Amino acid sequence: MSTSSHPHPPRSPRDYAAAILAEGTRERRNELLQACPEEWRPLVRAHVEDAFAKVKAYREMMDRRTQSMRHGPIPAPRVTDTSYRISNFTKSAPEVGNGHLSAIRASLATEATNA
């Protein structure tokens, strides 16, 4: 991107920094830095360095994110203590429950015939 796309020449340190950041080559960026007023150069240089630091941090973050996505999620820890139970109720066999239900039904059926 060239500085000619701007509607006006740079008027502030931020304008100069934006023009420098828009350039693709280091030589052209150095020329633009030398073209800015002397009293603004430290501020323009600080703006440009901050912008490049943000770009570098973003690229590093994206690299770390790509690496973590490549490795996948961290597996859940294995359960080593299987003796722990949430409740004291023991598991029952279905035939025991069915036997109790049939006994209840039988007692209800005899009461219904007597009524």
Side-chain angles (χ1 to χ4, degrees), residues 58-79:
Y58 175 75
R59 288 180 179 158
E60 288 174 356
M61 184 270 304
M62 290 304 288
D63 288 342
R64 286 192 309 269
R65 182 176 173 213
T66 303
Q67 288 292 333
S68 70
M69 289 173 67
R70 192 173 295 138
H71 293 300
I74 299 171
R78 290 211 170 276
V79 176

Side-chain angles (χ1 to χ4, degrees), residues 12-111:
S12 68
R14 288 182 187 228
D15 287 345
Y16 276 101
I20 291 170
L21 290 170
E23 289 301 323
T25 63
R26 181 177 286 233
E27 294 81 22
R28 182 71 180 131
R29 287 194 293 259
N30 286 335
E31 289 173 11
L32 288 173
L33 183 63
Q34 294 304 320
C36 80
E38 181 68 33
E39 64 272 5
W40 286 353
R41 276 192 200 141
L43 187 55
V44 170
R45 184 180 300 274
H47 283 316
V48 170
E49 288 173 356
D50 287 346
F52 277 122
K54 288 178 183 178
V55 168
K56 181 180 177 186
Y58 175 75
R59 288 180 179 158
E60 288 174 356
M61 184 270 304
M62 290 304 288
D63 288 342
R64 286 192 309 269
R65 182 176 173 213
T66 303
Q67 288 292 333
S68 70
M69 289 173 67
R70 192 173 295 138
H71 293 300
I74 299 171
R78 290 211 170 276
V79 176
T80 55
D81 183 17
T82 57
S83 64
Y84 174 74
R85 291 187 51 100
I86 295 174
S87 66
N88 292 330
F89 295 112
T90 57
K91 293 182 179 178
S92 66
E95 55 272 3
V96 175
N98 289 338
H100 289 301
L101 283 174
S102 64
I104 293 171
R105 285 188 188 117
S107 69
L108 290 175
T110 57
E111 290 176 9

